Amino acid sequence: MTQGIHLISNGKQSLEEFIKVAQAVSPYVNYIHIREKHRTDDELVEWINGLVKNDISKGQLVINERVELAVGTEIKGVQLTDHSEDVSSVRMKHPNLLIGRSVHSVEEAQDAAISGADYVIFGHVFKTHSKPGLPPRGLEQLGHLIKSSDIPVIAVGGITPERVGSVMTYGASGVAIMSGLIDSEQPIEKAKRFLGGVRNGYSR
């Protein structure tokens, strides 16, 4: 199962700060992504160990790009980008690893599916502070990509609890959240609202 809510770290918090948020919302999210491009492998191992020691399941953890680190620490999966090793190569070497691919076009999504990805994350759907100056791709492009994809599509970028319903209506399998939860003063309540929107989308 790759559907649901994906919490993504923002690269700005300390391990202790991220653990606090992850611990609070872990019952309400499906996956917790460690997206800390600037950190060393040793630091990332510390992050994984810290999260696991604080009751975060390895089955919830996904790490960006560091394939061998994901395998070595026995966490659930890896999120690949256009700068990463090819999906097909990772799939061939690690058939049991959950593999996500970040995409920005129909062609990239189709290639990811053919290459063996389990799901794609597409965005940014709405305007977001994390992508200043870049126009959002919007719901129409999201819907077009979903119709063209053979694997689940997770929407990312400017997702709020109020927008989850529209994203799900267009056929998304879930949403990826960064600042919407990490920067929230009430992450548990916010996570519950996100979860409610996703579940309502499934029931339509």
Side-chain angles (χ1 to χ4, degrees):
M1 176 181 174
T2 57
Q3 295 95 331
I5 300 174
H6 294 238
L7 169 66
I8 302 178
S9 72
N10 63 5
K12 300 175 183 178
Q13 291 182 304
S14 67
L15 173 56
E16 291 73 21
E17 289 170 330
F18 187 65
I19 285 174
K20 186 176 179 180
V21 177
Q23 225 179 2
V25 305
S26 62
Y28 311 103
V29 304
N30 299 83
Y31 295 101
I32 296 172
H33 291 236
I34 303 172
R35 184 179 182 271
E36 302 287 311
K37 300 179 180 181
H38 60 295
R39 300 192 188 276
T40 66
D41 282 1
D42 286 344
E43 287 176 314
L44 291 172
V45 169
E46 183 182 355
W47 271 58
I48 291 167
N49 290 339
L51 288 163
V52 171
K53 286 177 182 176
N54 284 275
D55 302 320
I56 306 298
S57 166
K58 285 188 175 184
Q60 272 187 296
L61 292 178
V62 175
I63 195 163
N64 261 53
E65 299 190 333
R66 314 285 180 99
V67 176
E68 297 309 320
L69 196 59
V71 175
T73 56
E74 300 182 329
I75 62 172
K76 182 70 173 181
V78 65
Q79 183 70 28
L80 302 177
T81 70
D82 53 359
H83 303 299
S84 309
E85 187 175 352
D86 290 339
V87 171
S88 56
S89 174
V90 177
R91 175 58 71 207
M92 186 177 298
K93 289 186 288 186
H94 308 293
N96 297 319
L97 193 66
L98 179 75
I99 302 175
R101 174 70 156 83
S102 299
V103 301
H104 304 96
S105 69
V106 168
E107 292 74 21
E108 286 184 350
Q110 291 175 336
D111 181 67
I114 292 169
S115 299
D118 295 294
Y119 67 94
V120 296
I121 294 181
F122 172 75
H124 58 292
V125 177
F126 300 104
K127 186 177 180 180
T128 173
H129 294 304
S130 66
K131 302 287 185 180
L134 293 177
R137 291 180 167 81
L139 289 169
E140 295 295 334
Q141 283 195 50
L142 172 67
H144 179 54
L145 183 138
I146 288 168
K147 289 178 181 178
S148 305
S149 178
D150 294 328
I151 57 178
V153 176
I154 307 299
V156 70
I159 308 293
T160 64
E162 295 77 19
R163 289 170 169 167
V164 172
S166 60
V167 167
M168 300 300 290
T169 297
Y170 273 79
S173 293
V175 294
I177 313 295
M178 189 181 291
S179 60
L181 283 175
I182 288 175
D183 296 337
S184 174
E185 293 181 1
Q186 296 180 310
I188 294 176
E189 294 307 313
K190 200 83 170 284
K192 288 179 179 178
R193 291 172 61 198
F194 277 117
L195 182 59
V198 168
R199 284 179 172 170
N200 287 340
Y202 289 156
S203 65
R204 288 193 180 110

